[in-house]
């Protein structure tokens, strides 16, 4: 820091060094005050004031205990600065001496990342909410990013993240890999979180540099032996099973989800969590041309989560109306269609009920026999919708509006939302999934057997616990007062 003080000090006068006698007097005064038993305290006080100006100008914060040692180092640095400024005043440029001085001090860019440059601690607890509000992250991203930044603090062993360096983040990246976290998750999750957080801190003037700016990780390209969309047989199996009489052990809301959510995804390409959070109020009728169309609104209203953060309206495919989906919606009370808010547990903010419904649906898809690990049991409907849209020649811009993709170009951002008319025409282009209700018993797959075994083991443990509780001796009753001893 004394070296940086030297550079700052010279820069204050470099453009106009003044006359040589000014710096000769300054050098003589400093030398005089260095003599023992003269006034060394005055010299220290003089440079202490200069050091404070330097720290304020460079937006550097150091502990008060570090001011005196830095002022003492600045006395020597100021001495060589005076020497250079005297040479400048004499119209000379002592290149050799300047190079010698530069070699005496470490490079600032090498030591700066290790210095606490923030005016105040940068913590997840105090600063994350402001960062999230300014960054405009989606509702699903906020808890995820918070969790990842907390994990960085745990790795660093400190809540204050202002002193984190590139080397620290490289070490953290290796630690995450050692935990078995995938390179893609690290790149698009953990590193994206810290890069955004530190980027906000730089924008707010809290830090000089984003230590995550150059940190990245190579994500190996996955080999794929099949399409990410459902095959015709897989789609038919899932949709056929939605028509089966619900299992009596399944709750009403989840039974409704099994019946309708796969169809809604198949005919809209919507994300599963966008569908499972739908409310009764998210549907309405609209006349388009001479047709009466049932429409659903996918919205972030009320804390619900849409990846783009923007609501969109999507016409319901005629096949779903023929199946009576509109009657199902109109027969429900106001509120969520596929979850029961009364069953919500405390502490579920990071993992809403509708996400748990989506997880259970994915398990159900595996249980009924769609068990190829290369296929995503819910998200594959999005790929299936894309494949069918290409087959029927759907306009890509209309397709993207239906699915809720962000505009691909600046031009597509103009003109506002996609009207319902072209969306309705595009939805009607999609071929119907012609399936019949399943015949025979429910599929008995290996996944189904494991799920059944797990339920049996859980029930057995619950029964054993209940029996042990019933047989446990009751606490001894307190002895009557007259039977107590004198000591008691």
């Amino acid at each position: 820091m004394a070296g940086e003080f030297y550079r700052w000090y010279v820069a204050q006068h470099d453009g106009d060094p003044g006359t040589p006698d000014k710096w000769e007097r300054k050098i003589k005064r400093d030398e005089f005050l260095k003599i023992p038993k003269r006034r060394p305290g005055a010299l220290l006080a003089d440079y202490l004031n200069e050091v404070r100006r330097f720290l304020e100008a460079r937006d550097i914060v150091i502990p008060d205990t570090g001011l005196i040692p830095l002022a003492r180092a600045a006395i020597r640095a100021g001495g060589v600065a005076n020497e250079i400024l005297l040479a400048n005043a004499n119209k000379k440029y002592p290149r050799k001496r300047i190079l010698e001085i530069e070699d005496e001090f470490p490079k600032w860019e090498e030591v700066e990342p290790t210095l606490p440059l923030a005016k105040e601690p940068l913590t997840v607890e105090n600063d994350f909410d402001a960062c999230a509000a300014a960054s405009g992250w989606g509702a699903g991203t906020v808890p995820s990013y918070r969790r990842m930044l907390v994990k960085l603090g745990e790795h660093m062993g400190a809540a204050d993240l202002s002193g984190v360096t590139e080397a620290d983040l490289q070490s953290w990246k290796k630690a995450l890999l050692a935990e078995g976290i995938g390179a893609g998750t690290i790149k698009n999750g953990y590193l994206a979180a810290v890069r955004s957080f530190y980027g906000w801190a730089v924008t707010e003037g809290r830090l000089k540099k984003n230590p995550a700016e150059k940190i990245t990780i190579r994500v190996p390209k996955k080999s794929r032996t099949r399409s990410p969309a459902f095959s015709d047989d897989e789609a038919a199996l899932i949709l056929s099973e939605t028509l089966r009489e619900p299992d009596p052990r399944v709750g009403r809301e989840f039974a409704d989800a099994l019946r309708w959510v796969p169809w809604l995804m198949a005919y809209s390409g919507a994300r599963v969590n966008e569908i499972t959070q739908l409310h009764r109020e998210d549907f309405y009728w609209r006349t388009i041309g001479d047709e009466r169309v049932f429409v659903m609104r996918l919205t972030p209203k009320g804390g619900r989560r849409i990846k783009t953060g923007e609501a969109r309206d999507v016409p319901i495919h005629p096949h779903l109306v023929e199946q009576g989906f509109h009657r199902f919606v109109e027969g429900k009370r106001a509120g969520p269609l596929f979850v029961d808010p009364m069953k919500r547990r405390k502490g579920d903010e990071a993992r809403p009920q509708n996400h748990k419904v989506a997880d259970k649906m994915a398990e159900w898809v595996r249980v009924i026999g769609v068990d190829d690990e290369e296929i995503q049991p819910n998200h594959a409907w999005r790929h299936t919708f894309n494949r069918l849209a290409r087959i029927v020649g759907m306009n890509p811009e209309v397709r993207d509006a239906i699915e809720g993709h962000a505009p691909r170009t600046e031009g597509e951002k103009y003109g506002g939302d996609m009207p319902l008319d072209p969306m309705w025409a595009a939805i009607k282009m999609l071929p119907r999934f012609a399936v019949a209700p399943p015949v025979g018993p429910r599929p008995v797959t290996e996944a189904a057997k494991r799920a059944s075994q797990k339920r049996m083991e859980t029930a057995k443990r619950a029964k054993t616990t209940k029996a042990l509780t019933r047989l446990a001796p009751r606490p001894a009753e307190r002895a009557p007062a007259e039977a107590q001893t004198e000591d008691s």
Side-chain angles (χ1 to χ4, degrees):
M1 290 184 71
E4 190 63 13
F5 174 82
Y6 153 77
R7 299 180 188 98
W8 170 83
Y9 191 91
V10 170
Q12 302 304 298
H13 309 278
D14 206 21
D16 182 19
T19 59
D21 61 316
K22 171 184 175 181
W23 301 108
E24 288 172 352
R25 289 196 303 270
K26 175 69 174 169
I27 291 169
K28 287 179 180 178
R29 179 178 179 274
D30 286 1
E31 290 299 324
F32 176 77
L33 293 177
K34 287 180 184 177
I35 299 174
K37 298 183 180 179
R38 292 289 174 87
R39 295 177 60 200
L43 181 62
L44 185 62
D46 187 22
Y47 274 94
L48 188 58
N49 288 330
E50 291 291 336
V51 163
R52 287 195 174 101
R53 288 180 55 224
F54 156 69
L55 293 173
E56 184 176 354
R58 293 301 304 270
D59 198 19
I60 300 172
V61 177
I62 66 172
D64 290 341
T65 53
L67 286 173
I68 298 300
L70 179 55
R72 293 187 187 281
I75 291 173
R76 176 177 169 275
V80 294
N82 291 334
E83 176 188 339
I84 296 302
L85 288 167
L86 174 59
N88 288 347
N90 284 318
K91 310 300 182 184
K92 296 178 181 179
Y93 186 74
R95 179 182 297 276
K96 183 177 179 181
R97 179 61 180 135
I98 290 175
L99 293 175
E100 289 174 353
I101 294 170
E102 290 289 340
D103 287 342
E104 293 179 26
F105 299 115
K107 300 283 187 189
W108 177 247
E109 58 268 20
E110 294 175 359
V111 298
E112 184 183 19
T114 68
L115 301 175
L117 302 183
K119 287 184 177 296
E120 58 186 273
L122 184 68
T123 66
V124 177
E125 181 179 1
N126 295 330
D127 299 302
F128 181 84
D129 289 341
C131 172
S135 301
W137 297 327
T141 302
V142 171
S144 176
Y145 274 15
R146 183 191 295 272
R147 187 169 59 252
M148 292 168 180
L149 285 162
V150 167
K151 193 161 186 172
L152 173 60
E154 292 171 351
H155 174 80
M156 297 299 299
D160 185 5
L161 301 179
S162 63
V164 171
T165 66
E166 287 187 20
D168 293 329
L169 292 177
Q170 293 286 7
S171 170
W172 185 50
K173 181 178 73 175
K174 292 177 182 177
L176 294 173
L177 286 169
E179 289 182 30
I181 298 175
T185 302
I186 294 173
K187 180 178 181 179
N188 301 316
Y190 290 88
L191 294 182
V194 296
R195 189 177 297 111
S196 187
F197 185 61
Y198 283 119
W200 168 82
V202 171
T203 302
E204 292 294 308
R206 301 283 296 278
L207 293 178
K208 290 290 187 183
K209 180 181 178 182
N210 184 340
E213 189 173 7
K214 297 180 181 178
I215 306 296
T216 187
I217 185 172
R218 182 177 176 274
V219 181
K221 186 176 180 180
K222 293 182 179 179
S223 59
R224 180 176 289 280
T225 61
R226 59 160 295 170
S227 165
F230 287 124
S231 68
D232 292 343
D233 289 342
E234 289 168 334
L237 172 60
I238 295 170
L239 296 179
S240 175
E241 285 295 324
T242 67
L243 305 177
R244 187 185 291 276
E245 283 295 317
D247 188 326
R249 295 170 296 181
V250 172
R252 185 187 66 183
E253 289 78 18
F254 186 57
D256 291 339
L258 292 179
R259 172 64 182 89
W260 297 112
V261 171
W263 287 95
L264 289 167
M265 290 191 290
Y267 282 134
S268 72
R271 301 169 183 90
V272 62
N273 290 319
E274 294 177 333
I275 297 296
T276 56
Q277 69 183 358
L278 283 168
H279 285 211
R280 162 70 174 79
E281 309 88 87
D282 296 332
F283 294 85
Y284 63 93
W285 289 96
R286 173 65 55 83
T287 300
I288 300 177
D290 58 355
E291 297 177 288
R292 196 160 177 255
V293 181
F294 201 46
V295 182
M296 70 175 171
R297 167 159 288 185
L298 301 166
T299 175
K301 183 179 178 180
R304 284 175 273 171
R305 301 178 181 180
I306 301 294
K307 188 171 183 179
T308 60
E310 297 182 0
R312 69 184 188 276
D313 291 1
V314 180
I316 298 295
H317 195 281
H319 191 196
L320 269 169
V321 174
E322 289 177 17
Q323 293 182 49
F325 176 67
H326 62 294
R327 288 191 294 274
F328 160 74
V329 171
E330 292 166 348
K332 299 285 284 187
R333 296 179 180 177
L337 293 178
F338 304 118
V339 299
D340 182 355
M342 299 302 294
K343 295 179 181 179
R344 179 179 177 275
R345 297 178 182 177
K346 292 183 179 180
D348 282 276
E349 287 79 6
R351 194 69 178 165
Q353 281 179 292
N354 70 294
H355 284 226
K356 296 175 182 178
V357 171
D359 292 342
K360 289 173 65 178
M361 291 197 62
E363 294 174 9
W364 171 77
V365 170
R366 298 299 191 204
V367 163
I368 64 175
V370 182
D371 53 6
D372 190 332
E373 291 298 325
E374 285 198 50
I375 202 80
Q376 294 176 281
N378 288 322
H379 197 69
W381 283 118
R382 202 159 164 82
H383 292 287
T384 304
F385 179 90
N386 271 318
R387 176 169 61 84
L388 294 174
R390 292 190 185 100
I391 291 172
V392 299
M394 189 181 295
N395 181 300
E397 194 173 342
V398 176
R399 181 194 68 207
D400 289 349
I402 292 171
E403 290 186 284
H405 282 300
R408 294 166 296 176
T409 66
E410 282 297 317
E412 289 184 3
K413 294 179 182 178
Y414 288 87
D417 295 338
M418 179 68 65
L420 282 175
D421 300 57
M423 297 173 75
W424 172 234
I427 288 290
K428 290 191 294 182
M429 293 169 65
L430 294 171
R432 298 183 178 217
F433 290 92
V435 297
V439 178
R442 300 178 190 278
V444 183
T445 63
E446 288 301 318
K449 292 177 182 177
R450 288 194 297 270
S452 178
Q453 182 65 28
K454 186 176 180 180
R455 286 195 299 270
M456 291 174 62
E457 290 173 356
T458 301
K460 187 176 180 181
R461 282 196 301 270
K463 187 176 181 180
T464 302
T465 301
K466 186 175 181 180
L468 290 174
T469 302
R470 188 169 57 249
L471 295 174
R474 297 180 179 178
E477 294 182 0
R478 186 175 179 181
E482 60 270 21
Q484 296 179 11
T485 64
E486 188 173 300
D487 288 343
S488 66

